[in-house]
Amino acid sequence: MPLPALPARVTAPFLLVGSNVFMTYAWYGHLKDAKNAPLWTAVLASWGVAFFEYCLQVPANRIGFNEAGYSLQQLKVMQEVITMTVFAAFAAWYMKERITLDFVWAALCLVGAVFFMFRGARRSRLRGRAHRLGHGERRSEEHTSELQSRVDIS
């Protein structure tokens, strides 16, 4: 029995969380796991891990922008909040680092960024979707005219 599909507005952030787990490990995991390895080995290993990050991040941004209607700015702020959250968990759990009060203050600043980016979300999402649809219709009409001009029906 197939699982029901998640709505696009949930799928995009869900994929961004997964991508951030890979990227955080790619950026910082070598500090623990490959600290004695040659630099080129750490770079190649991190690059290999980052590949899987992109396998989740690219679809997340496409789904978020094209299907869920998130603006580019909203996707960026969402990404930063997810990054800080994943990083905090990674730093505390995997790297055994202490989360300081300064980190908490920085995270609260990101909460403020979320507020400002999403406070008019419904209105801007509808405006953005209408704008994207308008361009798509125009491109479709231009493409149809171009095809019709190439085909001589007479």
Side-chain angles (χ1 to χ4, degrees), residues 29-135:
H30 64 89
L31 298 174
K32 178 179 179 181
D33 296 333
K35 63 183 170 189
N36 296 323
L39 182 59
W40 68 269
T41 304
V43 168
L44 287 177
S46 293
W47 181 80
V49 173
F51 169 78
F52 296 101
E53 183 267 343
Y54 278 92
C55 289
L56 297 174
Q57 179 267 331
V58 170
N61 283 330
R62 284 188 173 202
I63 291 167
F65 189 76
N66 295 327
E67 295 176 31
Y70 290 122
S71 71
L72 189 63
Q73 297 86 353
Q74 289 171 331
L75 283 169
K76 180 59 181 169
V77 169
M78 185 187 316
Q79 170 70 25
E80 294 303 326
V81 170
I82 291 169
T83 297
M84 288 291 281
T85 304
V86 169
F87 177 79
F90 176 83
W93 174 72
Y94 192 75
M95 298 295 287
K96 308 296 187 223
E97 295 280 326
R98 209 170 62 87
I99 302 299
T100 65
L101 195 54
D102 286 341
F103 188 89
V104 173
W105 296 131
L108 287 175
C109 288
L110 284 175
V111 170
V114 169
F115 169 77
F116 287 111
M117 287 313 291
F118 287 87
R119 68 181 169 163
R122 174 96 175 126
R123 188 174 49 245
S124 98
R125 191 169 58 250
L126 292 174
R127 193 172 36 240
R129 180 173 221 137
H131 177 73
R132 285 193 295 277
L133 288 174
H135 282 293

Side-chain angles (χ1 to χ4, degrees), residues 1 69 113:
M1 177 175 187

